[in-house]
Amino acid sequence: MVQTRVQQVLDSLRLQNGLYVASPSDTYHYVWIRDNCYIALSELDENNGRFEQTYHALLDIFRRYEWKLSYHAVRRPQAVYEYVHPRYTAETGEEIWGPWGNAQNDAIGAFLFGMGEGMRKGHKMLRDETDRKIVTLLIQYLQTLEFWQDEDNGMWEESRELHASSIGACTAGLLSIKPYFPDAAAPIQNGMCKLFDLLPRESALHRYDLAQLSLIYPYRLLPHALSADLVEQVEHNLLREHGVIRYPGDLYYADQGQEAQWCMGLPWLGLCHAVLGDLDKAQEYLRWTERVMKKDGAIPELYLAKQHEPNENTPLGWAHSLYLILAKEIRALSGNITDSEPIEQA
C-alpha cells in the first residue's frame, strides 16, 4: 500500500522525543520549527498522542530559550541572529549558529496555528503554566515585531522583504490561538489588511511563489475566488513535470539555468483543490505525487530540471506529510478509501 510505505518513511525521520529531522541527508539532518509543524498536521486528527508530543518537544526547545523570548517579547530584534531561530540540532535541540536567514516569522505563526488547532481538536497541548507562558511570549513577540510590516527571510530563508506567506502564517496563527489566548486578537486586523495589500503578489521580488499555497492550506485565509486564482497562477507559472518550482529564477539547485522542481508542491496543490472542493483535481495530484516518489515510498525534496534526478535530500518529511494529509482529505471528500500502487514510479 502506497500510503503505508510513505508513512513508514516519515516515521524513520521521527526522533525519540517526537520531533522530526527534515531529511536524513547531512545538510538537512536538523529540526526545523516549520517542518515539524507541517509534519505534525498529518497526526492532527489522530488520538495516538503524536501530535501533541511533537508540540511538547517544540515547547521544550522554547523553554530552553525562555530568556530570549522574554527579552524580545518587549524589545524588537535588531540583528537577524536575535530572532527566534528556525532550526535546531537533532541531538540536543540547541540553536545552530552561523550565518543563516533566521528571521522566519512564518515558523512562529505555524507553531501558534498548530497549537490552536490542537486545542480545538481536544488535544492536551499545554502541560503546565510554563507552557502557557511560552505561548503568551510568542504572541507578544509577534506583536513587538509588528509582523505585518517586518521584513523577514520567509519560508525559503532567503531575501528579507515583506512576504505574504509570512504575514498570512502569523495572522492565521493568532486567529487559531485567539479563543484560548484573547491577547492574540489585537494585531489580527493589521495582519489581514497588509496581507490583502500584498496579494496577489508574494513579495516585491516574487509575483508567483509556491509559498502562497499556505494561505489556502493549511491556513484557509482567503475567499474562494481568490484562492482559485492563486492556484491557477501557480499551476500556470510554476508547475512542472516532477513538481513545482518555488518561484521564477530560483537558483537553489538550478540545473543548467532551470529551476529545481519541488515534489511537495504536487500534494500541496492537491490539498488546495481539496479545500476548493474539487475531488477530481485532488485525486489527480495524489497520483502525480505517487509517480515522482521512489519505489520505497520516499518523496524527494526536488528533482533537477535537466537531469530529472532527485537531490540528496530524499526523503523530505514535509513532502510526506502533505501527501498523507491529501490522502485523508480525499477520503473525507469521497467517502472511499483511496490507496493504490503507483502506475509509474521514479
Side-chain angles (χ1 to χ4, degrees):
M1 301 286 279
V2 181
Q3 291 160 39
T4 300
R5 295 204 302 272
V6 173
Q7 182 68 62
Q8 289 171 343
V9 174
L10 180 58
D11 288 345
S12 73
L13 304 179
R14 186 178 175 87
L15 303 172
Q16 188 173 1
N17 63 0
L19 294 173
Y20 296 80
V21 294
S23 177
S25 70
D26 290 340
T27 53
Y28 273 21
H29 199 260
Y30 301 119
V31 168
W32 266 269
I33 294 173
R34 178 191 307 103
D35 291 53
N36 274 267
C37 291
Y38 273 89
I39 291 172
L41 288 175
S42 65
E43 301 284 355
L44 177 61
D45 293 320
E46 307 298 330
N47 293 315
N48 54 20
R50 289 167 63 124
F51 181 83
E52 50 266 52
Q53 185 187 11
T54 298
Y55 271 85
H56 293 163
L58 288 172
L59 281 164
D60 288 341
I61 289 176
F62 289 134
R63 286 165 79 135
R64 168 179 289 186
Y65 294 99
E66 182 180 342
W67 61 269
K68 184 174 184 176
L69 284 176
S70 296
Y71 187 83
H72 288 297
V74 294
R75 298 172 181 85
R76 182 187 179 93
Q78 300 300 315
V80 70
Y81 69 85
E82 295 178 311
Y83 281 74
V84 176
H85 280 215
R87 61 175 187 153
Y88 300 82
T89 64
E91 295 74 22
T92 63
E94 294 177 301
E95 288 181 345
I96 297 171
W97 287 91
W100 197 261
N102 286 324
Q104 296 178 35
N105 300 342
D106 74 292
I108 305 304
F111 176 84
L112 293 176
F113 177 80
M115 288 291 297
E117 287 295 286
M119 292 178 184
R120 185 175 65 85
K121 294 284 187 177
H123 296 301
K124 183 175 174 54
M125 303 301 292
L126 300 173
R127 297 164 294 183
D128 52 33
E129 284 304 310
T130 302
D131 280 354
R132 178 171 289 276
K133 179 183 178 183
I134 293 297
V135 174
T136 300
L137 288 173
L138 289 171
I139 293 169
Q140 293 172 349
Y141 171 76
L142 290 183
Q143 291 174 327
T144 298
L145 276 180
E146 297 184 332
F147 70 87
W148 57 92
Q149 55 187 4
D150 184 60
E151 295 184 348
D152 78 334
N153 295 109
M155 185 177 290
W156 311 133
E157 307 177 327
E158 295 183 336
S159 300
R160 291 206 53 182
E161 53 178 336
L162 289 179
H163 293 93
S165 58
S166 292
I167 294 169
C170 295
T171 303
L174 294 171
L175 279 167
S176 181
I177 206 74
K178 181 181 70 169
Y180 316 100
F181 290 80
D183 290 347
I188 289 173
Q189 184 175 358
N190 289 328
M192 290 298 291
C193 289
K194 190 60 183 180
L195 173 62
F196 281 92
D197 280 347
L198 282 172
L199 291 173
R201 300 187 69 90
E202 160 67 1
S203 66
L205 293 177
H206 297 170
R207 174 66 177 86
Y208 314 107
D209 197 301
L210 173 60
Q212 290 177 292
L213 296 185
S214 64
L215 303 174
I216 305 166
Y217 180 86
Y219 300 134
R220 293 177 166 88
L221 283 172
L222 309 180
H224 188 281
L226 181 53
S227 296
D229 285 346
L230 283 181
V231 170
E232 191 280 330
Q233 289 178 9
V234 170
E235 289 177 328
H236 181 73
N237 295 283
L238 307 180
L239 182 59
R240 303 291 188 269
E241 180 183 359
H242 289 89
V244 182
I245 68 171
R246 297 190 300 182
Y247 53 85
D250 184 10
L251 296 178
Y252 181 75
Y253 278 94
D255 187 13
Q256 299 180 45
Q258 293 194 22
E259 303 92 342
Q261 302 172 19
W262 285 63
C263 300
M264 73 180 186
L266 298 173
W268 210 340
L269 278 169
L271 281 165
C272 291
H273 280 290
V275 170
L276 294 170
D278 191 334
L279 176 60
D280 290 341
K281 291 294 290 186
Q283 290 177 323
E284 177 185 333
Y285 279 109
L286 185 79
R287 301 303 176 219
W288 196 337
T289 308
E290 291 171 353
R291 292 196 297 271
V292 302
M293 69 175 59
K294 310 304 288 182
K295 292 181 179 180
D296 63 355
I299 305 175
E301 177 185 44
L302 56 83
Y303 275 81
L304 301 173
K306 286 287 189 180
Q307 299 179 45
H308 306 297
E309 292 290 335
N311 70 345
E312 72 275 14
N313 300 325
T314 302
L316 184 74
W318 189 350
H320 281 246
S321 67
L322 292 178
Y323 170 85
L324 292 168
I325 298 165
L326 175 57
K328 292 177 183 179
E329 290 293 324
I330 288 173
R331 288 199 294 270
L333 284 173
S334 65
N336 298 314
I337 299 297
T338 303
D339 197 358
S340 65
E341 292 300 315
I343 297 171
E344 178 184 350
Q345 295 173 317

